[in-house]
Amino acid sequence: MTATIKLGQLAEFLGATLRGSAEKEITGLATLQEAGPAQLSFLANPQYRKYLADSQAGAVLLKAADAEGYAGDALVVADPYLSYARISHLFDPKPKAVAGIHPTAVIAEDAQVDAAASIGAFAVIESGAQIAAGVTIGAHCFIGARCQIGEGGWLAPRVTLYHDVRIGKRVVIQSGAVLGGEGFGFANEKGIWQKIAQIGGVTIGDDVEIGVNTAIDRGALADTVIGNGVKLDNQIQIAHNVQVGDHTAMAACVGISGSTRIGKHCMLAGGVGLVGHIDICDNVFLTGMTMVTHSITEPGSYSSGTAMQPAAEWRKSAARIRQLDDLARRLRQLEKRVGDVTPDGKASSDG
C-alpha cells in the first residue's frame, strides 16, 4: 500500500522549515532526476545540484543555502541526507509482521517465545532459546540452543544462529547471515591439522545491523563481541574472538582475522583486510582495499596499495617497485662514496 503524507506533516515530523503548500500530498521518495510531482527528493551531494532546477519533484529536502532561489516547494533542513533517512521509514513498503507462530515452525518445548513475537514458516527454534517481544523471525531461520534475541529484533528469511548467540535489542539481520559458526582454529601436529573446539559464543549489542551473507564466528574461549550500533554490510567475515567497538561501520567484503580489536566510531571501506591479534583505536577510517598488518594507535585516515591507473602504466610502476631494493642498495653505496670525499674533492685520508 502506498503511503500518502501531507508536506506539512513531513515538515512537522522533521522540524523543518516549510516553503510551499502544507496540503501537498507526497506518496513516495525518488532522486532529483526521477521524482514526479507527488514525490519528495533531496539534495545532499553538491555534484547533483545541477539537477535541481529541472527536477519535477513535488518537494525537495534542501539546506538553506541551496533553497535560496529555488522556485519549487521545499523542506529546509540542516542535513538533507539525515532527514531523508528518517523519512524513508514512513514510505517503506516492507510487509509488517503479524504476531504469532506459523503452524510449520518447529519450536522446542522449553524455548521461550513471547506472545508478541512473529515466527515464520519452517523456522526452527531449539532448546533453551529466548525470543523477546516484537521479534520477527523469517521463514526457514534456524535459532540454535540457548540463543537470546532481544526486543524488536528482525531476522530476514534463512538466517542461521548457532548455539549460544546473544543478540541485543532492535537488531536487524539479513538473509544468509551466519552467526556463531566455528572459528578457524587448528593446531599443527607434524604436518597434520588438529581441530580446536570453539567453546565461546557471540554477543551482539543493541541496534546492530548485519548484512546479507555476513559471517560472525564464535569465540574459541571468550565470546566474539559486536558493540552497540555497529553496522555491517554484505559478505563480511569476522573471525573468532574479534571485538568491534560501538557505532563502527564496515562496507562489503571486509575480512577481519581472529582476536583483532577494533575501536568505536571506526569506518572500514569495501574490501579492507586486517591481520589477527592487532588493535585499532577509536575514530579510524580505512579506505577501500586497505590491508592492515599492524596496530593503529592514532585516529585518522589510512590507506595501502596503489590507486588505479592504465594497465601499461601500472606494469611500469610494478617493475619499478621490484627494483626498489636494488636502487636502495646502490643509493647507500653512493652516499658512502660521497661521504668519503673531502670538501676539496679529494678522497679523505681515513677513507
Side-chain angles (χ1 to χ4, degrees), residues 6-249:
K6 293 182 178 180
L7 195 58
Q9 293 174 313
L10 293 176
E12 183 178 357
F13 176 76
L14 294 173
T17 300
L18 172 62
R19 294 189 180 181
S21 171
E23 296 301 311
K24 176 174 284 187
E25 293 185 340
I26 300 297
T27 61
L29 306 172
T31 64
L32 287 171
Q33 304 97 300
E34 298 175 346
Q39 292 176 306
L40 178 70
S41 190
F42 64 96
L43 174 60
N45 189 327
Q47 76 178 75
Y48 294 103
R49 188 177 291 114
K50 59 188 176 184
Y51 300 116
L52 179 60
D54 295 329
S55 177
Q56 300 300 306
V60 183
L61 291 162
L62 295 171
K63 291 182 179 179
D66 292 319
E68 293 296 329
Y70 177 64
D73 289 357
L75 297 177
V76 182
V77 294
D79 188 335
Y81 194 67
L82 181 59
S83 295
Y84 153 68
R86 292 181 60 197
I87 281 181
S88 66
H89 298 281
L90 304 179
F91 296 95
D92 187 357
K94 181 169 62 179
K96 304 297 182 184
V98 177
I101 300 173
H102 194 278
T104 61
V106 179
I107 301 176
E109 290 184 2
D110 64 344
Q112 300 177 31
V113 179
D114 191 279
S118 174
I119 312 301
F122 299 102
V124 175
I125 301 177
E126 291 201 323
S127 176
Q130 299 177 32
I131 312 299
V135 170
T136 297
I137 295 179
H140 294 277
C141 285
F142 177 86
I143 312 300
R146 301 177 298 279
C147 286
Q148 300 173 18
I149 304 177
E151 296 176 3
W154 186 84
L155 278 62
R158 296 186 300 101
V159 169
T160 298
L161 307 184
Y162 281 57
H163 58 282
D164 298 307
V165 174
R166 289 171 288 277
I167 295 175
K169 299 177 181 179
R170 300 174 298 278
V171 172
V172 173
I173 307 178
Q174 303 292 346
S175 294
V178 178
L179 279 61
E182 294 186 346
F184 193 69
F186 299 88
N188 193 287
E189 181 184 20
K190 298 179 180 180
I192 304 299
W193 293 106
Q194 302 296 335
K195 187 175 181 62
I196 300 171
Q198 304 292 290
I199 61 178
V202 175
T203 298
I204 307 292
D206 297 337
D207 301 302
V208 172
E209 301 215 10
I210 299 170
V212 171
N213 291 338
T214 282
I216 303 176
D217 292 345
R218 67 190 317 102
L221 292 171
D223 287 0
T224 301
V225 178
I226 309 297
N228 296 325
V230 170
K231 309 301 181 187
L232 304 176
D233 197 1
N234 301 337
Q235 296 182 312
I236 290 172
Q237 162 63 24
I238 296 179
H240 56 190
N241 297 107
V242 167
Q243 297 181 30
V244 180
D246 295 349
H247 305 293
T248 282

Side-chain angles (χ1 to χ4, degrees), residues 285-330:
F285 174 54
L286 300 172
T287 61
M289 304 299 291
T290 295
M291 183 65 206
V292 184
T293 57
H294 56 81
S295 294
I296 298 175
T297 59
E298 295 291 333
S301 181
Y302 295 84
S303 301
S304 71
T306 58
M308 183 190 72
Q309 56 188 148
E313 294 180 17
W314 180 88
R315 283 192 288 269
K316 291 179 182 178
S317 297
R320 292 190 179 102
I321 290 172
R322 289 195 296 270
Q323 296 167 357
L324 286 177
D325 187 63
D326 181 59
L327 289 172
R329 178 181 57 79
R330 292 164 62 187

